[in-house]
Amino acid sequence: MDHRGRENRLVFDVTHRLVLSIAIPMTLGFTTTPLLGLVGTGVVGHMGEPDALAGLAIGAMLFDLLLGSFNFLRASTTGLTAQALGRHDTHEQQGVFWRAMVSALGCGLVLLCLSPLLLSAGLALMGPEAAVAQATNVYFSIRILAAPAALANYAILGFVLGRGQGGTGLFLQVLINGINIVLAIYLGLWLDWGVAGVAWGTMVGETVGAVAGLFLVLRSFEASERPGRAEIFSRHRLAELFALNRDILIRTFVLIGSFAIMTRIGTSFGAVTLAANAVLMNFFLLSGYYLDGLANAAEQITGRAIGAAHRPAFDRGLKLTAIWSFGLAASVSAFFLGAGPWLISALTTSPEVRAAAETYLPWAAITGLTGALAFLMDGVFIGATWSVDMRNRMLMSFAGYLAALAVFVPLFGNHGLWLSMNAFLLFRGFFLAMLVKPRADQTFRAAQ
């Protein structure tokens, strides 16, 4: 096939339908995650034992930190798979999948082996009372059994998203969280297993999801395109994957650290303000769930366009995902500004906390708008596998965030804290956006 024939074969059109076919299913899938947390809390809360509920909260937080740190497994797999898809390289798609699975299972087994140390460190950090620590121990010891399956699900989800299979991603998310919810209610409430029942529900859900996902992926593979062991464990390919994962991991740690700093500073304003901030952070997290779906669309389209060396698809994908991202962000922000007081009342019964939360509500409501570009740019840079730039610009944004905190918190108190967080979101988006055109020019010029 000549150069022109190959080019025509790789060309693809980016439409609103393509963007939404990826974004909508994943947005729906992601919104089942907070529902899962609410069910677990409700199940244990109905036991009437505050120690058990506190133990569940600590255990869930520890897993959010542990497993959230490994989100690079999904992100890197999406970018590399999308680029292989753009090249129509089904052989390399399988190679990316198996390298991701080996990495995920290896990391999961390491977590499993280190679980006693990780639990001890977590309890030492949180310093709970004996009864609370016992509940945390029960939850953690059961749920950690699913660590290999949970990380394998990251790799599987990254692979199906890289192929643009948003419907499959939605099915797997609903399957995992649906089994988790049903078993949490049945085991935790009906059989009265409490915290242990919630943990077993999560363990079974993650395991079933991994088995189902593996079945769906392997069924789509052609035996003739199967890579050999030497190709899967190629030093060059593994080095590329590890470098990508390292950069995304550093970026994730910095992001987690920024929220930890916000919480730590918030404690200095007293219990009422701290509780109000915790309530308002739910608005930011919900905005993030919606924007993540469009970020996933940006990942897939960007990676596919670079793999195909087709600049028009890259530019068109960037334009359409930006339109939908900012449109959705504006809608969500307007909703929170209007319905915020009602939502705050639904989340807390304390008059003092309600009043404080309504005071700072506008700052939380606009986080969707100030963060829209950051979510979109994360998707573009992950899909393009420009991980070094993403890491470095995150560090620059974090430095700007610390400077904003140093200036605005002493001047404006908690208003300054929320102003700094919104500034951090803006820094992340604009610092990355400044690099898009020069990096795209360089990448597509090299591909010619």
Side-chain angles (χ1 to χ4, degrees), residues 254 257-262 265 394-410 416 420-421 423-424 427:
V254 173
S258 69
F259 296 129
I261 290 172
M262 183 177 181
I265 293 176
M394 173 62 83
L395 293 172
M396 289 172 56
S397 301
F398 186 67
Y401 174 56
L402 294 179
L405 290 171
V407 173
F408 296 127
V409 171
S420 300
M421 175 53 68
F424 176 54
F427 291 153

Side-chain angles (χ1 to χ4, degrees), residues 101-120:
M101 283 296 292
V102 169
S103 299
L105 293 175
C107 290
L109 291 173
V110 169
L111 283 180
L112 195 55
C113 293
L114 294 178
S115 59
L117 293 175
L118 294 171
L119 176 59
S120 298

